[in-house]
Amino acid sequence: ESAARSVPGVRAVFTARDVPGVNRYGLIKQDQHLFSDGRVRYVGDAVALVVAESPEAAGEGKRAVRVEYRELPAVFDPEEALLPGAPEIHEGGNSVCVSRIERGDAEAALRRADVVVENTYTTSMIEHAFLEPHAALGEIDEEGRVAVHVGTQDPHANLRDVATLLGVPEDRCRIVQATTGGAFGGKIDLTAHGFVALAAYHLKEPVKLVMTREEVF
C-alpha cells in the first residue's frame, strides 16, 4: 500500500481495514465482501481501492500494489460444492439458500401423462452485456450525507448495503437514481456503489468510478 500511496496524484488507498461498518453485503445472503478480508474467493474480488486525481495516476498506483497469495483448495462445480468434504468457500457452507416448492401430486400427473421426457440440459454462462459499464459517483451532500449517484435497479437494497458498509443509519446515506440504461438484472447488486461511498466518506469530496468492460465481466 505504501508504494501506491507514494505515486504522484494518488490521494488514498483503501482496504478492508478501512471499512467502518460491516464488510459484507448481498441481496439474499450477506456473503459478499467489499474488500477481501484475507481470503480471495474469485478473480473479481477487490483487495484494494486506489483513489487518485487522474485515471493515469490511479493506474500507476494500482500497479504499485503488491499482494501475496497462498493457493487454497478450490471448487469449480456447484454440485461438487454441496458434497460432504467440499472446500468451504464461505463460512457456514456453500449453500446460499434452499427453496422447496410443492404443488399438487406430481407423481400422479406423470403417471397420467401421454409422454414423459427426461433429460439433463446445460447452457453456457452469459453476461447481461448492457452497453454502458458500471459507474457511480459518491459525494457528501448539502446535509452531510453520503450520496451515491448510480444507475441501479434496486436503490432501496443498495441503500441498506451502503449504510451497513459505512456503519451509519440509512438516513445518513442516499442512493440517487441515475439513468439506468440497459440492465437486465445486472444492476441490482452493489458494483461501484460501495467503493465510491467509502472513498467519499473518508475523503469528504466527490469520487467517481467507471469500471472497465473486463471488470464488468
Side-chain angles (χ1 to χ4, degrees):
E1 297 174 39
S2 58
R5 289 192 177 96
S6 66
V7 172
V10 169
R11 296 292 302 278
V13 180
F14 299 113
T15 67
R17 295 191 299 270
D18 300 299
V19 177
V22 180
N23 185 30
R24 296 287 188 91
Y25 66 92
L27 288 171
I28 301 174
K29 182 178 181 181
Q30 284 66 56
D31 58 353
Q32 298 179 76
H33 301 74
L34 186 66
F35 297 106
S36 296
D37 56 350
R39 173 183 289 192
V40 173
R41 293 171 173 82
Y42 84 114
V43 71
D45 273 349
V47 296
L49 173 68
V50 177
V51 182
E53 296 171 356
S54 69
E56 293 76 19
E60 187 176 348
K62 180 182 70 172
R63 290 186 290 272
V65 174
R66 293 289 179 265
V67 183
E68 293 184 7
Y69 294 101
R70 176 171 58 87
E71 190 170 339
L72 298 174
V75 62
F76 302 101
D77 181 271
E79 294 185 355
E80 291 179 5
L82 298 178
L83 296 177
E88 191 171 274
I89 307 303
H90 295 278
E91 300 85 355
N94 296 332
S95 175
V96 64
C97 65
V98 176
S99 299
R100 184 178 299 277
I101 300 173
E102 295 184 11
R103 182 171 180 177
D105 190 338
E107 293 300 325
L110 288 171
R111 289 193 296 269
R112 294 194 304 269
D114 294 328
V115 177
V116 176
V117 177
E118 294 184 357
N119 204 345
T120 299
Y121 299 91
T122 62
T123 185
S124 61
M125 182 181 294
I126 63 169
E127 162 61 26
H128 308 88
F130 30 74
L131 290 179
E132 70 286 352
H134 296 302
L137 168 69
E139 64 176 355
I140 306 300
D141 73 5
E142 64 279 359
E143 296 186 24
R145 299 170 295 186
V146 176
V148 177
H149 302 255
V150 63
T152 175
Q153 294 175 261
D154 198 339
H156 303 287
N158 297 163
L159 176 65
R160 177 201 66 199
D161 285 342
V162 167
T164 298
L165 289 167
L166 298 182
V168 299
E170 290 186 10
D171 63 5
R172 299 310 301 160
C173 297
R174 291 179 66 206
I175 300 295
V176 181
Q177 175 75 48
T179 301
T180 304
F184 322 116
K187 294 181 180 177
I188 297 177
D189 214 339
L190 289 194
T191 52
H193 321 39
F195 298 116
V196 299
L198 179 78
Y201 173 88
H202 284 296
L203 297 176
K204 302 297 187 289
E205 56 185 311
V207 179
K208 69 177 179 180
L209 172 61
V210 179
M211 290 188 171
T212 65
R213 182 61 61 180
E214 183 181 10
E215 290 167 340
V216 170
F217 274 93

